[in-house]
Amino acid sequence: TVSYAQFLYPTNALVRQKSSSVLESCTAQTPQCRVRANGQKGSTAARPNSGTAQDPYIEEVGEYDPNLLSDPRWPCGRHKRVLIFASYVTTVIEYVKPSDLKKDMNETFKEKFPHIKLTLSKIRSLKREMRAVSEECGLQPVTIAMAFVYFEKLVLQGRLNKQNRKLVAVACVLLAAKISSDLRKPEVKQLIDKLEERFRINRRELIPLEVSVLVALEMGLYLPESKVMPHYRRLVQQG
């Protein structure tokens, strides 16, 4: 497999700063191997230079787990306990204010992932918005599942913050729609119009960020079934 990662240049669209809220870095990194949709692995021809200084603000993220941010068993704070049985899942919650329960969950999430600038409740809220607008535009559940994978990968890399979260979420939906659906130009325009209206963003900012998100995902838009199916099953079960 031939890699063209050496031709990609970082932009300031997703640059992370130590003490400022500038958008996160989209520096492209050449992976050791890439899992294709058919499950095969191909070694890249170009490898990162061992003498090149690495960006100290980019988090090292292991293998992506599609169940990590959606698992009902985690994070379970001191007010909630999830019991998983053979045929059903039940949650036992003490009598507590919803605001306290939400705060407890977000604090537990922050302790687990200190590099992520968004709370878990905000991440899940963005995913609900992504699903709602995608269904309004007639996108299939598998397309929404792919958008969730793109979005969660960027979240776990620590590339999202309060300023760019909506733009990145919209870019993930747009990329998933383009790669998995046979959309014509009027349909793409209609989707962008709907996303722009729902998330209250400007398409002039969206179009350049779409390329930056693509680079941050290392051009890996074709996903293996093992990454997409957990999200797809949850979408179907939730109706």
Side-chain angles (χ1 to χ4, degrees), residues 191-222:
L191 176 60
I192 293 177
D193 291 340
K194 196 70 177 179
L195 291 169
E196 189 177 29
E197 176 186 356
R198 186 64 174 263
F199 285 88
R200 297 185 295 278
I201 53 107
N202 191 329
R203 69 180 62 198
R204 294 182 179 178
E205 299 175 329
L206 171 62
I207 303 305
L209 188 71
E210 184 182 0
V211 179
S212 300
V213 169
L214 181 61
V215 173
L217 293 171
E218 298 178 340
M219 305 295 179
L221 297 185
Y222 287 101

mmCIF file of all heavy atoms in Angstrom, residues 191-222:
data_model
loop_
_atom_site.group_PDB
_atom_site.id
_atom_site.type_symbol
_atom_site.label_atom_id
_atom_site.label_comp_id
_atom_site.label_asym_id
_atom_site.label_seq_id
_atom_site.Cartn_x
_atom_site.Cartn_y
_atom_site.Cartn_z
ATOM 1 N N LEU A 191 -28.208 18.878 2.424
ATOM 2 C CA LEU A 191 -27.678 18.396 3.697
ATOM 3 C C LEU A 191 -26.895 19.493 4.406
ATOM 4 O O LEU A 191 -27.053 19.696 5.620
ATOM 5 C CB LEU A 191 -26.789 17.171 3.458
ATOM 6 C CG LEU A 191 -26.083 16.591 4.691
ATOM 7 C CD1 LEU A 191 -27.100 16.147 5.739
ATOM 8 C CD2 LEU A 191 -25.182 15.429 4.292
ATOM 9 N N ILE A 192 -26.069 20.211 3.680
ATOM 10 C CA ILE A 192 -25.282 21.301 4.282
ATOM 11 C C ILE A 192 -26.206 22.385 4.811
ATOM 12 O O ILE A 192 -25.984 22.938 5.906
ATOM 13 C CB ILE A 192 -24.274 21.869 3.262
ATOM 14 C CG1 ILE A 192 -23.215 20.819 2.924
ATOM 15 C CG2 ILE A 192 -23.606 23.123 3.818
ATOM 16 C CD1 ILE A 192 -22.220 21.269 1.874
ATOM 17 N N ASP A 193 -27.264 22.715 4.049
ATOM 18 C CA ASP A 193 -28.226 23.720 4.507
ATOM 19 C C ASP A 193 -28.871 23.297 5.824
ATOM 20 O O ASP A 193 -29.029 24.113 6.748
ATOM 21 C CB ASP A 193 -29.304 23.943 3.445
ATOM 22 C CG ASP A 193 -28.761 24.623 2.194
ATOM 23 O OD1 ASP A 193 -27.689 25.257 2.289
ATOM 24 O OD2 ASP A 193 -29.404 24.507 1.131
ATOM 25 N N LYS A 194 -29.248 22.019 5.913
ATOM 26 C CA LYS A 194 -29.895 21.517 7.130
ATOM 27 C C LYS A 194 -28.927 21.509 8.306
ATOM 28 O O LYS A 194 -29.294 21.890 9.431
ATOM 29 C CB LYS A 194 -30.423 20.105 6.871
ATOM 30 C CG LYS A 194 -31.437 19.635 7.891
ATOM 31 C CD LYS A 194 -32.731 20.396 7.738
ATOM 32 C CE LYS A 194 -33.784 19.880 8.715
ATOM 33 N NZ LYS A 194 -35.052 20.624 8.587
ATOM 34 N N LEU A 195 -27.694 21.086 8.065
ATOM 35 C CA LEU A 195 -26.693 21.089 9.130
ATOM 36 C C LEU A 195 -26.379 22.500 9.596
ATOM 37 O O LEU A 195 -26.214 22.753 10.796
ATOM 38 C CB LEU A 195 -25.419 20.405 8.630
ATOM 39 C CG LEU A 195 -25.499 18.892 8.384
ATOM 40 C CD1 LEU A 195 -24.265 18.400 7.648
ATOM 41 C CD2 LEU A 195 -25.662 18.131 9.689
ATOM 42 N N GLU A 196 -26.297 23.415 8.657
ATOM 43 C CA GLU A 196 -26.005 24.809 8.985
ATOM 44 C C GLU A 196 -27.113 25.412 9.841
ATOM 45 O O GLU A 196 -26.854 26.154 10.792
ATOM 46 C CB GLU A 196 -25.835 25.611 7.691
ATOM 47 C CG GLU A 196 -25.323 27.029 7.881
ATOM 48 C CD GLU A 196 -25.110 27.729 6.562
ATOM 49 O OE1 GLU A 196 -25.819 27.395 5.590
ATOM 50 O OE2 GLU A 196 -24.246 28.622 6.497
ATOM 51 N N GLU A 197 -28.353 25.064 9.511
ATOM 52 C CA GLU A 197 -29.497 25.591 10.267
ATOM 53 C C GLU A 197 -29.590 24.961 11.652
ATOM 54 O O GLU A 197 -29.834 25.663 12.647
ATOM 55 C CB GLU A 197 -30.781 25.322 9.475
ATOM 56 C CG GLU A 197 -32.053 25.733 10.206
ATOM 57 C CD GLU A 197 -33.298 25.316 9.452
ATOM 58 O OE1 GLU A 197 -33.176 24.777 8.327
ATOM 59 O OE2 GLU A 197 -34.406 25.520 9.986
ATOM 60 N N ARG A 198 -29.393 23.645 11.732
ATOM 61 C CA ARG A 198 -29.579 22.927 12.995
ATOM 62 C C ARG A 198 -28.479 23.246 14.003
ATOM 63 O O ARG A 198 -28.743 23.456 15.196
ATOM 64 C CB ARG A 198 -29.628 21.423 12.723
ATOM 65 C CG ARG A 198 -29.957 20.570 13.941
ATOM 66 C CD ARG A 198 -31.358 20.869 14.452
ATOM 67 N NE ARG A 198 -31.739 19.981 15.528
ATOM 68 C CZ ARG A 198 -32.469 18.879 15.366
ATOM 69 N NH1 ARG A 198 -32.912 18.564 14.158
ATOM 70 N NH2 ARG A 198 -32.782 18.120 16.388
ATOM 71 N N PHE A 199 -27.240 23.282 13.562
ATOM 72 C CA PHE A 199 -26.107 23.503 14.464
ATOM 73 C C PHE A 199 -25.698 24.975 14.555
ATOM 74 O O PHE A 199 -24.759 25.298 15.284
ATOM 75 C CB PHE A 199 -24.907 22.666 14.013
ATOM 76 C CG PHE A 199 -25.040 21.203 14.341
ATOM 77 C CD1 PHE A 199 -25.667 20.329 13.469
ATOM 78 C CD2 PHE A 199 -24.536 20.699 15.533
ATOM 79 C CE1 PHE A 199 -25.784 18.979 13.763
ATOM 80 C CE2 PHE A 199 -24.647 19.356 15.841
ATOM 81 C CZ PHE A 199 -25.277 18.498 14.952
ATOM 82 N N ARG A 200 -26.345 25.833 13.761
ATOM 83 C CA ARG A 200 -26.055 27.273 13.757
ATOM 84 C C ARG A 200 -24.565 27.539 13.505
ATOM 85 O O ARG A 200 -23.881 28.178 14.303
ATOM 86 C CB ARG A 200 -26.503 27.908 15.084
ATOM 87 C CG ARG A 200 -27.997 27.811 15.310
ATOM 88 C CD ARG A 200 -28.403 28.559 16.563
ATOM 89 N NE ARG A 200 -27.848 27.958 17.757
ATOM 90 C CZ ARG A 200 -28.374 26.911 18.393
ATOM 91 N NH1 ARG A 200 -29.485 26.357 17.937
ATOM 92 N NH2 ARG A 200 -27.819 26.435 19.464
ATOM 93 N N ILE A 201 -24.092 27.005 12.400
ATOM 94 C CA ILE A 201 -22.701 27.197 12.001
ATOM 95 C C ILE A 201 -22.671 27.849 10.620
ATOM 96 O O ILE A 201 -23.692 27.958 9.937
ATOM 97 C CB ILE A 201 -21.929 25.852 11.989
ATOM 98 C CG1 ILE A 201 -22.668 24.800 11.134
ATOM 99 C CG2 ILE A 201 -21.763 25.325 13.396
ATOM 100 C CD1 ILE A 201 -22.037 24.500 9.849
ATOM 101 N N ASN A 202 -21.477 28.278 10.219
ATOM 102 C CA ASN A 202 -21.297 28.936 8.935
ATOM 103 C C ASN A 202 -20.592 27.978 7.982
ATOM 104 O O ASN A 202 -19.546 27.418 8.311
ATOM 105 C CB ASN A 202 -20.464 30.218 9.113
ATOM 106 C CG ASN A 202 -20.476 31.082 7.882
ATOM 107 O OD1 ASN A 202 -20.575 30.589 6.748
ATOM 108 N ND2 ASN A 202 -20.372 32.391 8.070
ATOM 109 N N ARG A 203 -21.147 27.809 6.800
ATOM 110 C CA ARG A 203 -20.548 26.880 5.841
ATOM 111 C C ARG A 203 -19.170 27.343 5.383
ATOM 112 O O ARG A 203 -18.361 26.538 4.923
ATOM 113 C CB ARG A 203 -21.469 26.683 4.639
ATOM 114 C CG ARG A 203 -21.625 27.872 3.724
ATOM 115 C CD ARG A 203 -22.557 27.535 2.595
ATOM 116 N NE ARG A 203 -23.884 27.208 3.109
ATOM 117 C CZ ARG A 203 -24.790 26.543 2.395
ATOM 118 N NH1 ARG A 203 -24.516 26.145 1.183
ATOM 119 N NH2 ARG A 203 -25.980 26.284 2.913
ATOM 120 N N ARG A 204 -18.870 28.623 5.497
ATOM 121 C CA ARG A 204 -17.535 29.101 5.136
ATOM 122 C C ARG A 204 -16.480 28.554 6.079
ATOM 123 O O ARG A 204 -15.309 28.431 5.697
ATOM 124 C CB ARG A 204 -17.521 30.633 5.149
ATOM 125 C CG ARG A 204 -18.392 31.277 4.075
ATOM 126 C CD ARG A 204 -18.289 32.784 4.118
ATOM 127 N NE ARG A 204 -19.107 33.407 3.086
ATOM 128 C CZ ARG A 204 -19.229 34.725 2.921
ATOM 129 N NH1 ARG A 204 -18.581 35.560 3.736
ATOM 130 N NH2 ARG A 204 -19.991 35.204 1.960
ATOM 131 N N GLU A 205 -16.856 28.259 7.306
ATOM 132 C CA GLU A 205 -15.940 27.621 8.248
ATOM 133 C C GLU A 205 -15.965 26.109 8.109
ATOM 134 O O GLU A 205 -14.966 25.436 8.392
ATOM 135 C CB GLU A 205 -16.311 28.014 9.685
ATOM 136 C CG GLU A 205 -16.233 29.495 9.971
ATOM 137 C CD GLU A 205 -16.713 29.845 11.367
ATOM 138 O OE1 GLU A 205 -17.600 29.131 11.881
ATOM 139 O OE2 GLU A 205 -16.200 30.821 11.938
ATOM 140 N N LEU A 206 -17.104 25.579 7.674
ATOM 141 C CA LEU A 206 -17.263 24.124 7.583
ATOM 142 C C LEU A 206 -16.410 23.516 6.468
ATOM 143 O O LEU A 206 -15.749 22.495 6.677
ATOM 144 C CB LEU A 206 -18.736 23.784 7.354
ATOM 145 C CG LEU A 206 -19.054 22.319 7.028
ATOM 146 C CD1 LEU A 206 -18.653 21.407 8.177
ATOM 147 C CD2 LEU A 206 -20.522 22.158 6.691
ATOM 148 N N ILE A 207 -16.430 24.120 5.288
ATOM 149 C CA ILE A 207 -15.757 23.526 4.132
ATOM 150 C C ILE A 207 -14.258 23.336 4.370
ATOM 151 O O ILE A 207 -13.728 22.243 4.129
ATOM 152 C CB ILE A 207 -16.026 24.363 2.870
ATOM 153 C CG1 ILE A 207 -17.534 24.477 2.618
ATOM 154 C CG2 ILE A 207 -15.330 23.746 1.675
ATOM 155 C CD1 ILE A 207 -18.269 23.158 2.534
ATOM 156 N N PRO A 208 -13.516 24.361 4.864
ATOM 157 C CA PRO A 208 -12.085 24.111 5.144
ATOM 158 C C PRO A 208 -11.860 23.086 6.252
ATOM 159 O O PRO A 208 -10.909 22.310 6.201
ATOM 160 C CB PRO A 208 -11.554 25.490 5.558
ATOM 161 C CG PRO A 208 -12.561 26.469 5.045
ATOM 162 C CD PRO A 208 -13.878 25.773 5.114
ATOM 163 N N LEU A 209 -12.748 23.075 7.257
ATOM 164 C CA LEU A 209 -12.562 22.139 8.371
ATOM 165 C C LEU A 209 -12.796 20.694 7.949
ATOM 166 O O LEU A 209 -12.225 19.771 8.524
ATOM 167 C CB LEU A 209 -13.517 22.505 9.516
ATOM 168 C CG LEU A 209 -13.296 21.729 10.817
ATOM 169 C CD1 LEU A 209 -11.999 22.176 11.476
ATOM 170 C CD2 LEU A 209 -14.460 21.901 11.766
ATOM 171 N N GLU A 210 -13.606 20.502 6.922
ATOM 172 C CA GLU A 210 -13.868 19.148 6.427
ATOM 173 C C GLU A 210 -12.573 18.473 5.999
ATOM 174 O O GLU A 210 -12.342 17.299 6.291
ATOM 175 C CB GLU A 210 -14.845 19.216 5.258
ATOM 176 C CG GLU A 210 -15.253 17.856 4.724
ATOM 177 C CD GLU A 210 -16.195 17.973 3.539
ATOM 178 O OE1 GLU A 210 -16.518 19.111 3.153
ATOM 179 O OE2 GLU A 210 -16.593 16.933 2.993
ATOM 180 N N VAL A 211 -11.695 19.215 5.344
ATOM 181 C CA VAL A 211 -10.407 18.665 4.919
ATOM 182 C C VAL A 211 -9.526 18.394 6.135
ATOM 183 O O VAL A 211 -8.836 17.375 6.209
ATOM 184 C CB VAL A 211 -9.712 19.618 3.935
ATOM 185 C CG1 VAL A 211 -8.350 19.062 3.519
ATOM 186 C CG2 VAL A 211 -10.585 19.860 2.721
ATOM 187 N N SER A 212 -9.561 19.297 7.111
ATOM 188 C CA SER A 212 -8.743 19.115 8.309
ATOM 189 C C SER A 212 -9.171 17.893 9.104
ATOM 190 O O SER A 212 -8.336 17.154 9.627
ATOM 191 C CB SER A 212 -8.835 20.372 9.188
ATOM 192 O OG SER A 212 -8.367 21.506 8.499
ATOM 193 N N VAL A 213 -10.472 17.660 9.195
ATOM 194 C CA VAL A 213 -10.973 16.466 9.879
ATOM 195 C C VAL A 213 -10.554 15.215 9.125
ATOM 196 O O VAL A 213 -10.161 14.206 9.720
ATOM 197 C CB VAL A 213 -12.507 16.540 10.022
ATOM 198 C CG1 VAL A 213 -13.067 15.195 10.482
ATOM 199 C CG2 VAL A 213 -12.889 17.632 11.000
ATOM 200 N N LEU A 214 -10.604 15.282 7.812
ATOM 201 C CA LEU A 214 -10.180 14.151 6.986
ATOM 202 C C LEU A 214 -8.715 13.807 7.248
ATOM 203 O O LEU A 214 -8.339 12.637 7.360
ATOM 204 C CB LEU A 214 -10.394 14.478 5.509
ATOM 205 C CG LEU A 214 -10.023 13.407 4.482
ATOM 206 C CD1 LEU A 214 -10.849 12.156 4.699
ATOM 207 C CD2 LEU A 214 -10.215 13.931 3.076
ATOM 208 N N VAL A 215 -7.871 14.826 7.368
ATOM 209 C CA VAL A 215 -6.455 14.606 7.649
ATOM 210 C C VAL A 215 -6.270 14.043 9.057
ATOM 211 O O VAL A 215 -5.471 13.134 9.287
ATOM 212 C CB VAL A 215 -5.662 15.913 7.477
ATOM 213 C CG1 VAL A 215 -4.215 15.742 7.930
ATOM 214 C CG2 VAL A 215 -5.701 16.377 6.029
ATOM 215 N N ALA A 216 -7.041 14.570 10.026
ATOM 216 C CA ALA A 216 -6.925 14.086 11.405
ATOM 217 C C ALA A 216 -7.332 12.624 11.515
ATOM 218 O O ALA A 216 -6.810 11.883 12.356
ATOM 219 C CB ALA A 216 -7.793 14.936 12.333
ATOM 220 N N LEU A 217 -8.231 12.182 10.659
ATOM 221 C CA LEU A 217 -8.643 10.775 10.636
ATOM 222 C C LEU A 217 -7.709 9.919 9.793
ATOM 223 O O LEU A 217 -7.982 8.738 9.569
ATOM 224 C CB LEU A 217 -10.071 10.660 10.085
ATOM 225 C CG LEU A 217 -11.173 11.266 10.955
ATOM 226 C CD1 LEU A 217 -12.501 11.284 10.209
ATOM 227 C CD2 LEU A 217 -11.310 10.516 12.266
ATOM 228 N N GLU A 218 -6.620 10.523 9.315
ATOM 229 C CA GLU A 218 -5.614 9.823 8.510
ATOM 230 C C GLU A 218 -6.232 9.199 7.266
ATOM 231 O O GLU A 218 -5.855 8.104 6.852
ATOM 232 C CB GLU A 218 -4.898 8.760 9.351
ATOM 233 C CG GLU A 218 -4.139 9.338 10.524
ATOM 234 C CD GLU A 218 -3.473 8.273 11.381
ATOM 235 O OE1 GLU A 218 -3.892 7.093 11.318
ATOM 236 O OE2 GLU A 218 -2.525 8.620 12.091
ATOM 237 N N MET A 219 -7.189 9.897 6.684
ATOM 238 C CA MET A 219 -7.857 9.451 5.456
ATOM 239 C C MET A 219 -8.578 8.113 5.631
ATOM 240 O O MET A 219 -8.973 7.492 4.646
ATOM 241 C CB MET A 219 -6.838 9.334 4.293
ATOM 242 C CG MET A 219 -6.051 10.605 4.034
ATOM 243 S SD MET A 219 -7.098 11.936 3.487
ATOM 244 C CE MET A 219 -5.885 13.257 3.298
ATOM 245 N N GLY A 220 -8.762 7.675 6.855
ATOM 246 C CA GLY A 220 -9.359 6.357 7.100
ATOM 247 C C GLY A 220 -10.873 6.425 7.199
ATOM 248 O O GLY A 220 -11.443 6.173 8.262
ATOM 249 N N LEU A 221 -11.534 6.765 6.091
ATOM 250 C CA LEU A 221 -12.989 6.882 6.101
ATOM 251 C C LEU A 221 -13.677 5.538 5.903
ATOM 252 O O LEU A 221 -14.814 5.356 6.330
ATOM 253 C CB LEU A 221 -13.453 7.866 5.009
ATOM 254 C CG LEU A 221 -12.981 9.316 5.182
ATOM 255 C CD1 LEU A 221 -13.607 10.192 4.113
ATOM 256 C CD2 LEU A 221 -13.320 9.848 6.569
ATOM 257 N N TYR A 222 -13.014 4.600 5.245
ATOM 258 C CA TYR A 222 -13.567 3.256 5.098
ATOM 259 C C TYR A 222 -13.261 2.476 6.369
ATOM 260 O O TYR A 222 -12.099 2.241 6.688
ATOM 261 C CB TYR A 222 -12.999 2.565 3.861
ATOM 262 C CG TYR A 222 -13.548 3.126 2.573
ATOM 263 C CD1 TYR A 222 -12.795 4.022 1.825
ATOM 264 C CD2 TYR A 222 -14.809 2.772 2.114
ATOM 265 C CE1 TYR A 222 -13.286 4.560 0.645
ATOM 266 C CE2 TYR A 222 -15.313 3.296 0.939
ATOM 267 C CZ TYR A 222 -14.545 4.193 0.199
ATOM 268 O OH TYR A 222 -15.053 4.721 -0.965
#
